[in-house]
Amino acid sequence: MKKKFVIVGLGLIGGSMAMALKGFEGFTIVGVDLSQPTLRFAREHGVGDEVTEDAALAVKGADVVMLCLHPQGILDFLETYKNAFKPGCLVTDVCGIKSAVMEKAGCLPPSVDFIGCHPMAGTEFSGVEHAFAEMFQGSHLILTPRAESTPEHVSLMEQLAEYIGCRDVVKTTPAQHDAILAYTSQMMHIIAVSVCDDENLFTCKGYEGSSFRGCTRVAALDVGLWTQLFSLNAPALTACLDTLLENLKTYRDAVAAGDRELLSSKLAFSAARKREMDLPGPDLLT
């Protein structure tokens, strides 16, 4: 009997994962979603080997289950199906928050392994219709294994990363993951939407350059998803925003005071840090 790899949630990431994993280690890739239009699209476009709306049936007998739902959906799924996974099953996820998910995974029986996973890939679009198999090529795959996670399952996740074209695998703790992602991802989204709150947004049409487009690219976000991501990572994100506000105030005060010496010093300091970060060399979170 072929091994079964179940992907729950066929949105942009789940759909792309189902496409990218076709043929992986002899697994049958089974996609699960409640949306009939999503299932119909998945069937018509070969997203996975099989698709179904019956999560309970799909999970039964699965060797690997990957949860590609919104953060709260992952927490709810773990609670609902905690006793449905077979002994020896590996459960993983793709969530941008790790502490809350890893804590909830504690409800699983000891015989079920859980390894937190976060592929650092995506676009500003959502939905299975925007999924593509090359989504993860050149990206980082972050793993947060538990102390009791088996070497075999960690190795399987590393093989998965290589198969879908990831640049590397980074292992870290849930807390470190959440602190870094609050800074590198969540705060950037808040900057983007804040810029779009300005009353002059629509008057700039025809004047916007690449820096404006780059800064605001992610502002057209999935509201439900990002509301949950921000809320579930509130302590780390709040700390990042507090630092950002302090830095903005320093720049604002220098500009308002016409203090060119302070402004030049600040700009030189910031520019040098950015150039140093972009130097060739290891590009890891650890």
Side-chain angles (χ1 to χ4, degrees), residues 10-283:
L10 294 177
L12 175 69
I13 300 299
S16 296
M17 192 66 74
M19 296 167 74
L21 283 174
K22 275 197 168 184
F24 174 62
E25 293 294 309
F27 283 101
T28 296
I29 308 300
V30 181
V32 178
D33 206 283
L34 294 178
S35 165
Q36 291 303 315
T38 294
L39 291 173
R40 183 165 56 251
F41 184 95
R43 288 192 187 97
E44 292 172 354
H45 293 83
V47 179
D49 300 312
E50 303 172 12
V51 295
T52 179
E53 64 180 357
D54 192 336
L57 181 61
V59 166
K60 184 179 181 181
D63 298 281
V64 182
V65 176
M66 176 176 280
L67 305 179
C68 301
L69 304 166
H70 282 192
Q72 190 60 51
I74 291 175
L75 303 184
D76 294 343
F77 194 95
L78 288 171
E79 179 62 35
T80 299
Y81 294 97
K82 60 187 177 185
N83 295 316
F85 304 103
K86 77 173 186 179
C89 177
L90 168 62
V91 183
T92 186
D93 74 305
V94 298
C95 187
I97 296 292
K98 292 273 78 82
S99 295
V101 171
M102 297 297 290
E103 181 179 351
K104 188 61 183 179
C107 74
L108 296 173
S111 61
V112 177
D113 199 355
F114 188 94
I115 296 177
C117 172
H118 184 194
M120 294 298 295
T123 72
E124 64 269 40
F125 303 107
S126 61
V128 69
E129 63 272 19
H130 297 293
F132 58 103
E134 299 76 23
M135 168 76 75
F136 311 101
Q137 292 184 4
S139 66
H140 303 295
L141 188 81
I142 305 174
L143 296 181
T144 57
R146 298 193 291 189
E148 61 270 28
S149 292
T150 69
E152 292 77 16
H153 284 155
V154 173
S155 176
L156 181 65
M157 293 301 296
E158 292 172 339
Q159 293 170 50
L160 178 150
E162 182 178 3
Y163 190 83
I164 64 178
C166 290
R167 173 181 173 179
D168 54 27
V169 173
V170 181
K171 298 186 185 74
T172 187
T173 66
Q176 185 184 25
H177 170 277
D178 289 355
I180 292 175
L181 268 293
Y183 173 65
T184 62
S185 177
Q186 293 162 19
M187 185 172 71
M188 300 304 131
H189 282 73
I190 286 183
I191 291 171
V193 294
S194 297
V195 169
C196 291
D197 287 345
D198 194 290
E199 63 182 6
N200 293 313
L201 176 66
F202 295 103
T203 65
C204 78
K205 243 184 168 180
Y207 295 84
E208 69 272 33
S210 59
S211 59
F212 182 88
R213 291 192 295 271
C215 176
T216 59
R217 179 184 65 83
V218 296
L221 44 68
D222 181 328
V223 173
L225 170 62
W226 287 94
T227 297
Q228 292 180 30
L229 288 171
F230 294 159
S231 299
L232 287 169
N233 203 26
L237 181 55
T238 300
C240 287
L241 292 174
D242 286 342
T243 300
L244 174 66
L245 289 172
E246 291 176 9
N247 291 334
L248 286 173
K249 187 177 186 306
T250 301
Y251 273 108
R252 184 263 176 207
D253 291 348
V255 171
D259 190 338
R260 292 191 178 189
E261 184 176 349
L262 175 58
L263 186 58
S264 178
S265 175
K266 282 288 297 176
L267 289 171
F269 175 76
S270 302
R273 284 168 62 81
K274 172 59 178 172
R275 293 190 185 100
E276 182 180 356
M277 184 181 182
D278 289 346
L279 289 173
D283 185 14

